Amino acid sequence: MCGIIGYTGNENAVPKITKGLSVLEYRGYDSVGIAARTGNGIETVKCRGRIGALEEKLEANPITDCSCAIGHTRWATHGGPSDINAHPHRAGRVVLVHNGIIENYKELKSEMSAKGDRFLSETDTEVAAAVLNDEYGKLGTPAEAIRKAIARMTGSYAFGILFEDLPGEVWAVRCGSPLILAKGTDGYYLASDMTALLPFTKEYHCLEEGQLAHLTPNSAELITADGETVTPTWSVTAMTPESAQKGGYPHFMLKEIYEQPEAIVKSVSPRIKGGLPDFSADGISPDFWAKVKNIQIVACGSATHAGLVGGRILEQVAQVPTSSYIASEYRYHPPLAVDGTLVVVISQSGETADTLAALRYAKQKGLPTLAIVNAVETTIAREADYRIYTYAGPEIAVATTKGYCTQVSVLYMIAAAIAHSCGRICEADAKELVRSVLEDAPVAIHQMLEQTDALRRMAGDICHHEHVFYIGRGLDYAMSQEASLKLKEISYIHCEAYAAGELKHGTISLIEEGTPVIAISTEAALYDKTESNVREVYSRGARVILICRDDAKNPQASADDVILLPTTSGAATLFAALAAVQVLAYETAVLRGCDIDRPRNLAKSVTVE
Ligand code: AGP
């Protein structure tokens, strides 16, 4: 939702903060700011716009004598994008940056106003600063003041804090929003995620819920919820600065689409033993799978769509009843949990607040939880009973591609593991399924990416339209939902996914001459039915792109364009279709001149509910 960063050490802080913020921009980019500790106290520079706007201000009025600072890039929640609402926010001797939402900020604002505080912005963050300053004025010790202040707040937060009378010190605390500490040769850092700190260090520590951090130029200490002071244990990240850069591609999204074959191999290989699915390295034994009688998949956005596709594969292959739920709805009409229910939460970032809340709800109900997460050691990964990482590497583009792709590949492997553990498929079939995901899927994606010119031409046919429809049946209806989201979130074209058989019950009235309809047909058994739905729209003037198997009979009969998919295996067909719809969305957005990696109004990790 927002990105925060801080530094204290023996070097100039300002360029470190601005460099880190430029990496964190994918978390939110409608306003930006820095609070720099100088000989004159704490100077704040902030504005609406992206990091470039802040750098212009700093070039005009350089801050040089500063070795301690905090910075923030914002995705607006309370109060629109503006100079005044940009972070950092100050109250008395406190200056802070915030990622999250203070849900009771209105009550606190009334309380503080009654005490004489005056507020300049519309934000909950300025209120949090006032509350902390209030407590600091009473107690005079930062740790106790922070504890008392957060006890008065409800909601989610990660705070980076400077105190006017504590030069060189950076304080931090988190609850519900991520915060990483890092140790450099030049001092100590904090950030919302590690990608921002890769240019400076690889040694990091994930701050736990409720823990305080106290950084000075030469030390870092943690203060636990019961007041104990401990020294952080530092881990070394496998990420490199290059892995967080574009690597020659015009956009992170395209780089990440091309990284999918390798990402599948990296995610699947560690879960194969003797050619069979094996999750023992993840702490999950075969008899764990044998006990699974029912699966609830809970996630948001594309992760939900991965769950929809994966859920059908789990039912088809493992014959386990599987239902998918939107995380933000899950708690409000919780499904009945029969014996043997496993709740699987899926999250690329591992920090999505809606998914985290659903995970906590499931745990409260005593249900076993398994998280499929890409970002290592994130809150969702740490709080689930079990976790399976998708080793896709850092995903920077807001629109997920390799994150989604590897989630589906892991769900394929889980389906094979359950089916084999329960004796529902023989060893040879389990090995074939594993092989198809490990070998056929990456090849199929590579082959589809070689058709980019044709896909770019088709993108030219749809990019001027206001409305586009995806249709499919069964697994293809599930796939259509991700295809539709990809197109709308980066090209801003209104796009809907419909069950192909459902069109004639109403939606077909929207079809007029030239309306683009993209039909996905990967399942041979459903081709004839889907083809007849395609004919229904084609005969009414729709411009049809048919994405179908290469063994389909006469696909050109009712389509303007056909994209053929390999039929070497189900996995090959499915992942080729995925690559096709991702590239179609990407090329359409390029033709429309959209900001591919940072679409308007969106953020990579939505850490508020
Ligand atoms: C997908 O392209 C979107 N960026 C969004 O729907 C995303 O999938 C959703 O917010 C869930 O994020 P997560 O996987 O990090 O939990």
Side-chain angles (χ1 to χ4, degrees), residues 103 143 195 205 207 261 318 352 523 549 604:
E103 291 175 347
T195 51
H205 172 91
L207 201 56
T352 299
E523 295 193 274
R549 302 161 57 89
K604 182 63 180 173

Side-chain angles (χ1 to χ4, degrees), residues 313-382:
I313 294 165
L314 279 159
E315 292 195 324
Q316 284 172 5
V317 172
Q319 295 155 47
V320 173
T322 303
S323 307
S324 290
Y325 302 88
I326 294 171
S328 54
E329 292 294 313
Y330 181 67
R331 284 176 288 162
Y332 306 119
H333 53 263
L336 291 176
V338 296
D339 284 348
T341 291
L342 172 67
V343 175
V344 176
V345 294
I346 304 176
S347 176
Q348 188 285 131
S349 64
E351 298 294 351
T352 299
D354 289 323
T355 309
L356 177 59
L359 167 64
R360 288 172 173 169
Y361 178 84
K363 290 185 72 174
Q364 242 172 15
K365 295 292 177 188
L367 294 171
T369 55
L370 162 65
I372 298 176
V373 179
N374 191 41
V376 172
E377 287 204 22
T378 44
T379 306
I380 290 171
R382 291 209 306 276

Side-chain angles (χ1 to χ4, degrees), residues 29-32 47-49 74-86 122-123 601:
Y29 33 85
D30 54 45
S31 55
V32 62
C47 59
R48 179 174 185 163
R74 186 170 183 244
W75 186 76
T77 49
H78 295 93
S82 68
D83 294 356
I84 288 287
N85 289 334
E122 305 157 270
T123 67
N601 307 335

Side-chain angles (χ1 to χ4, degrees), residues 153-413:
M153 298 177 203
T154 58
S156 64
Y157 49 79
F159 290 122
I161 309 161
L162 300 180
F163 291 93
E164 187 65 53
D165 51 349
L166 299 175
E169 297 189 26
V170 177
W171 288 76
V173 64
R174 62 151 301 192
C175 177
S177 295
L179 208 50
I180 303 279
L181 306 181
K183 176 184 178 186
T185 54
D186 55 351
Y188 290 88
Y189 297 82
L190 64 86
S192 298
D193 76 37
M194 193 56 200
T195 51
L197 303 178
L198 290 172
F200 314 114
T201 181
K202 292 168 79 85
E203 287 190 80
Y204 72 98
H205 172 91
C206 293
L207 201 56
E208 296 286 343
E209 292 281 86
Q211 270 185 348
L212 270 62
H214 175 208
L215 306 181
T216 72
N218 306 303
S219 67
E221 61 183 18
L222 306 173
I223 301 161
T224 62
D226 52 22
E228 190 194 353
T229 300
V230 294
T231 306
T233 47
W234 303 105
S235 307
V236 179
T237 180
M239 286 197 281
T240 62
E242 296 66 41
S243 62
Q245 299 309 316
K246 288 183 193 165
Y249 287 89
H251 301 102
F252 278 111
M253 184 177 176
L254 191 60
K255 174 179 176 240
E256 289 152 9
I257 288 173
Y258 275 78
E259 285 177 339
Q260 290 182 129
E262 182 190 359
I264 289 176
V265 173
K266 283 183 176 173
S267 301
V268 166
S269 304
R271 283 93 193 209
I272 300 174
K273 199 173 190 180
L276 287 167
D278 181 291
F279 287 86
S280 47
D282 303 287
I284 300 174
S285 63
D287 56 20
F288 171 89
W289 297 124
K291 292 187 205 123
V292 176
K293 305 298 179 217
N294 175 56
I295 295 175
Q296 297 174 359
I297 297 179
V298 189
C300 299
S302 289
T304 310
H305 302 153
L308 286 171
V309 170
R312 288 180 186 269
I313 294 165
L314 279 159
E315 292 195 324
Q316 284 172 5
V317 172
Q319 295 155 47
V320 173
T322 303
S323 307
S324 290
Y325 302 88
I326 294 171
S328 54
E329 292 294 313
Y330 181 67
R331 284 176 288 162
Y332 306 119
H333 53 263
L336 291 176
V338 296
D339 284 348
T341 291
L342 172 67
V343 175
V344 176
V345 294
I346 304 176
S347 176
Q348 188 285 131
S349 64
E351 298 294 351
T352 299
D354 289 323
T355 309
L356 177 59
L359 167 64
R360 288 172 173 169
Y361 178 84
K363 290 185 72 174
Q364 242 172 15
K365 295 292 177 188
L367 294 171
T369 55
L370 162 65
I372 298 176
V373 179
N374 191 41
V376 172
E377 287 204 22
T378 44
T379 306
I380 290 171
R382 291 209 306 276
E383 294 199 11
D385 300 312
Y386 301 90
R387 72 231 22 89
I388 295 174
Y389 287 118
T390 51
Y391 299 120
E395 187 175 66
I396 308 299
V398 167
T400 183
T401 48
K402 62 178 183 174
Y404 171 92
C405 174
T406 49
Q407 288 158 6
V408 174
S409 70
V410 163
L411 287 164
Y412 246 111
M413 293 294 288

Side-chain angles (χ1 to χ4, degrees), residues 60 82 86 113 120 127 198 204 326 333-334 371 386 425 431-432 464 507 515 527 530 555 572 588 606 608-609:
S82 68
S113 300
L120 302 175
V127 176
L198 290 172
Y204 72 98
I326 294 171
H333 53 263
Y386 301 90
I425 56 173
K431 285 184 174 180
E432 171 49 24
H464 301 297
T507 320
T515 302
Y527 176 73
T530 302
T588 303
V606 185
V608 292
E609 289 191 61

Side-chain angles (χ1 to χ4, degrees), residues 93 133-145 163 165-166:
R93 292 181 291 163
N133 183 61
D134 181 47
E135 291 298 341
Y136 192 46
K138 291 178 202 164
L139 295 158
T141 59
E144 265 317 295
F163 291 93
D165 51 349
L166 299 175

